[in-house]
Amino acid sequence: MMTLATFTVANSLQAAGRGPALPFRVALADGRQLSMQRLLRVLPGKRLVGEAELEGSRVLAKLFVGRRCKKHWQQERAGLEALVLAGVPTPELVAAMPMAGGGYALLTTFLDPAESVVESWVRVAGHQPGDGEALAIVGPVMTMLGRLHAAGLVQEDLHLGNFLFHEGQLFVVDGDAVRVISRGQALTPSRASANLAVLLAQLPAEWDGQAALLSSYAVGAGRALLDVPALHGQIARVRAWRLQDFLSKTVRDCTLFAVERSATRFSVVRRQEAEPLASVLASPDGAISAGVALKDGGTCTVVRAVIGGRVLLIKRYNLKSLSHALGRAWRPSRAWHSWREAHRLQFLGIPTPAPLALIEERLGPLRRRAWLVSEFCPGTNLLSHLSADREPSEEVGRAILNLFESMHKARISHGDMKATNLLWYSGRVLLIDLDAVVQHRSPVAHARAWQRDRARLLRNWPAGSRLQRWLDDRLPGT
């Protein structure tokens, strides 16, 4: 029989970090033993959330430890009670009490089967705006948010993961973020619009202005609560903030990314990839030696490598000489820049191979060589895929225009728009080689950079050729 670790004081849970050995027990203040079976989320030193067992029943357990744990426990409990009073579906509260030895526990019924709206949305995220299947997922969330606002409630940490589908019904979870603004009275239009903008900003920009979304919201709100003229500006501001917040997370230790740093090395990897890529992180040059070389230039070495049965692309940024090394030492490496820009593009829905890990050699604050690990895209570059004397097929042409329209709308320039840096794969055109990608704040700077990108793209094919004319007629001009 497996021996369960028993955490008798909150300090033990705090010290356990992200990975306490499972299963483990904690003693509740009333003498009952809670057995944690599976962790769903961990905020080290603050909170653990997971599937647990209490007296033979499955529960969702939230364990609050560390500084201000009582405050967050009280907020969670008060938020759940506010949802119940407002008649909003939320998991039933089973117990809320201190743990023996410190910290607090809050237990609710475990919904099974259940799927978060985030998981549901992933299946339809690529569908066209207004698509019926996508609306069937996000529409109920809008209606539910309308119900919250009509009851005077807001979700301050509003995201799709705070909504769960269970047996055909939508539930609101995470009471810690629920705030009572005006109990029993609807929010003001400005407050309702500001909160709704947080949710709408998490959908692709193409969904902005979809009347069906606002109609779904109105079903829950019961009447007009929104300051519609201000809504689009609020969405843009929230979207910009979310992007910057996400980019900051890509280079620090958090739920999504695992970071290790020392005086001689920095590495970051998507946390879910840390174990599969452990050998690459330990010895990136070893992985390069075992791979198939695609490019071996003075400043850059690129290989295709098979790691754990997966095909990956590993790119090493070399230092040609002492002067080159000194020139690069004080700046973020090109691998660092490509890592951040790849995440920027993915966040904005612009196709690019997924970045998986970044490694930099360092000497204190000085940067030396660097490595970037990405998914390998087996697609064909557009120089090979397209013929200068023919227009692209309807599918390829639409994918090309979608890519450049998305880049243009986001004020993104590539900086080296060779056709070999555009890959046709699985119905999309993917952007690669992101060393010089920039998202411009100034419309004037973007216009200049866009004209350079546009002209470079057209030069891939003979002047006056049928393909070049097709592109010139359809690409954004300024």
Side-chain angles (χ1 to χ4, degrees), residues 75-129:
Q75 285 180 175
E76 181 80 33
R77 184 172 184 175
L80 293 179
E81 289 173 349
L83 292 173
V84 171
L85 287 173
V88 174
T90 192
E92 181 182 354
L93 181 63
V94 174
M97 67 182 67
M99 295 184 290
Y104 295 84
L106 187 142
L107 315 178
T108 58
T109 53
F110 191 86
L111 302 181
D112 185 28
E115 182 177 64
S116 79
V117 174
V118 170
E119 296 170 314
S120 304
W121 180 254
V122 166
R123 296 196 301 271
V124 299
H127 291 204
Q128 292 297 310

Side-chain angles (χ1 to χ4, degrees), residues 23 25 248 276 323 418 441:
R25 287 191 300 241
S248 71
S323 61
K418 295 182 292 191
R441 294 183 181 180

Side-chain angles (χ1 to χ4, degrees), residues 129-435:
D131 170 78
E133 188 179 354
L135 281 173
I137 291 171
V138 75
V141 177
M142 296 297 161
T143 301
M144 186 65 76
L145 189 59
R147 290 178 61 180
L148 290 172
H149 291 174
L153 307 179
V154 297
Q155 269 259 9
E156 290 194 339
D157 184 25
L158 185 59
H159 56 84
L160 296 177
N162 283 341
F163 300 86
L164 295 180
F165 286 114
H166 170 63
E167 296 182 345
Q169 187 175 16
L170 186 66
F171 286 74
V172 178
V173 297
D174 193 9
D176 186 24
V178 173
R179 297 289 181 271
V180 180
I181 305 302
S182 52
R183 190 181 298 277
Q185 295 184 346
L187 300 181
T188 63
S190 60
R191 190 64 186 263
S193 299
N195 196 226
L196 176 60
V198 174
L199 188 61
L200 292 176
Q202 297 172 47
L203 303 180
E206 292 76 17
W207 281 79
D208 291 357
Q210 282 291 315
L213 295 180
L214 299 187
S215 297
S216 296
Y217 173 86
V219 169
R223 60 189 178 89
L225 292 181
L226 299 176
D227 182 356
V228 176
L231 185 61
H232 292 300
Q234 291 169 327
I235 292 171
R237 286 191 292 273
V238 173
R239 193 170 278 136
W241 175 86
R242 291 187 69 246
L243 173 58
Q244 293 308 312
D245 180 63
F246 175 69
L247 290 179
S248 71
K249 290 178 180 178
T250 65
V251 288
R252 64 179 172 85
D253 200 75
C254 59
T255 302
L256 293 175
F257 300 95
V259 168
E260 292 185 1
R261 64 177 80 226
S262 69
T264 59
R265 197 173 191 268
F266 172 89
S267 70
V268 56
V269 60
R270 288 179 180 259
R271 190 168 291 280
Q272 64 186 26
E273 301 287 354
E275 186 175 341
L277 297 182
S279 63
V280 180
L281 293 169
S283 178
D285 278 341
I288 285 178
S289 298
V292 176
L294 303 179
K295 179 181 178 181
D296 193 9
T299 60
C300 188
T301 300
V302 184
V303 304
R304 183 178 67 244
V306 179
I307 307 295
R310 295 168 61 194
V311 183
L312 305 177
L313 189 82
I314 305 176
K315 195 170 185 178
R316 183 181 64 210
Y317 293 84
N318 304 317
L319 299 174
K320 294 188 298 182
S321 62
L322 179 59
S323 61
H324 184 218
L326 292 174
R328 296 292 323 178
W330 294 102
R331 294 180 287 167
S333 67
R334 289 188 293 157
W336 178 287
H337 183 82
S338 295
W339 169 260
R340 283 174 58 87
E341 296 313 307
H343 282 102
R344 185 192 304 274
L345 295 182
Q346 288 207 319
F347 184 93
L348 295 171
I350 298 173
T352 192
L356 304 177
L358 161 70
I359 306 162
E360 285 187 339
E361 285 181 338
R362 293 186 177 181
L363 185 60
L366 305 180
R367 289 171 164 91
R368 302 183 67 241
R369 295 186 305 166
W371 296 259
L372 181 67
V373 184
S374 307
E375 286 185 341
F376 177 79
C377 178
T380 307
N381 69 67
L382 291 193
L383 191 63
S384 300
H385 189 72
L386 300 179
S387 175
D389 59 4
R390 290 198 303 272
E391 295 179 0
S393 68
E394 181 180 353
E395 183 183 20
V396 176
R398 184 171 59 248
I400 292 172
L401 297 180
N402 286 344
L403 171 67
F404 286 108
E405 286 168 5
S406 297
M407 292 176 64
H408 192 265
K409 184 175 181 180
R411 293 181 184 166
I412 288 176
S413 64
H414 183 270
D416 187 17
M417 194 56 74
K418 295 182 292 191
T420 51
N421 286 331
L422 298 162
L423 303 181
W424 168 248
Y425 179 68
S426 191
R428 301 188 301 169
V429 175
L430 286 77
L431 200 62
I432 63 170
D433 198 3
L434 310 181
D435 299 14

Side-chain angles (χ1 to χ4, degrees), residues 19-36:
L22 290 169
F24 66 81
R25 287 191 300 241
V26 293
L28 303 181
D30 63 2
R32 289 183 292 176
Q33 295 282 319
L34 178 74
S35 174
M36 186 71 84

